[in-house]
Amino acid sequence: MLRGVHGIFAHHGFLWFVFVLSGATLLLLSILVAVGIIAPFAAALTFAGVSGMGALLAMAVVLSIRHQPLPAHERLLGSRATVVMPLAPQGRVMVHGEDWAATLDAPFANQALAVGQTVRVLNVVGLHLIVTPDGVSPTRASIPASTHS
């Protein structure tokens, strides 16, 4: 949710922002109550609302910072990819909006897949994908999973 603006929240800066915002709100409300512009009950409700929203945002930020993205071999296995540079047997594919180097799995290495065809990811080895034509049931990847880097 908030991962896109992660830099703003680095080193608990956002928590300090919540504390400063709550303090400034409390100071402003105290002045307004002292002058008689608003009732104490309304000031208390306003302060509780601002502080509560700040606390919820702080919790969301802490949870989003703790979230660790999945490594490529876990998030890409089984995904569909589109050939963007012919596979014969090596080429390039687009998967989840990312351009990857790819190689056709051993049983299909003598085939050539044209641009636009769909493949499935069988394995990830470093920054290289092992793929098979979509619709073919994968039996194994040509390079063992233990060779991940």
Side-chain angles (χ1 to χ4, degrees):
M1 176 172 89
L2 297 173
R3 266 180 266 130
V5 289
H6 177 266
I8 295 172
F9 309 116
H11 300 105
H12 304 289
F14 184 70
L15 297 177
W16 283 107
F17 172 74
V18 169
F19 292 143
V20 169
L21 181 65
S22 295
T25 304
L26 184 58
L27 179 65
L28 178 66
L29 291 174
S30 299
I31 292 170
L32 293 176
V33 168
V35 174
I37 295 177
I38 62 172
F41 183 71
L45 286 178
T46 303
F47 179 70
V50 169
S51 297
M53 289 302 295
L56 288 176
L57 284 172
M59 283 179 26
V61 167
V62 169
L63 290 175
S64 72
I65 289 172
R66 286 184 184 170
H67 173 75
Q68 296 294 320
L70 291 174
H73 65 275
E74 289 182 26
R75 72 179 166 90
L76 294 178
L77 288 181
S79 297
R80 281 192 174 128
T82 304
V83 177
V84 293
M85 195 168 124
L87 290 172
Q90 295 185 343
R92 300 198 69 79
V93 297
M94 184 71 69
V95 59
H96 299 300
E98 299 173 346
D99 186 15
W100 285 81
T103 301
L104 280 168
D105 193 28
F108 306 100
N110 59 352
Q111 297 180 8
L113 296 181
V115 173
Q117 288 190 286
T118 306
V119 294
R120 280 231 185 245
V121 178
L122 290 181
N123 201 351
V124 180
V125 180
L127 296 175
H128 199 86
L129 303 180
I130 307 301
V131 297
T132 185
D134 196 23
V136 176
S137 64
T139 55
R140 63 168 182 78
S142 61
I143 300 176
S146 62
T147 62
H148 291 290
S149 52

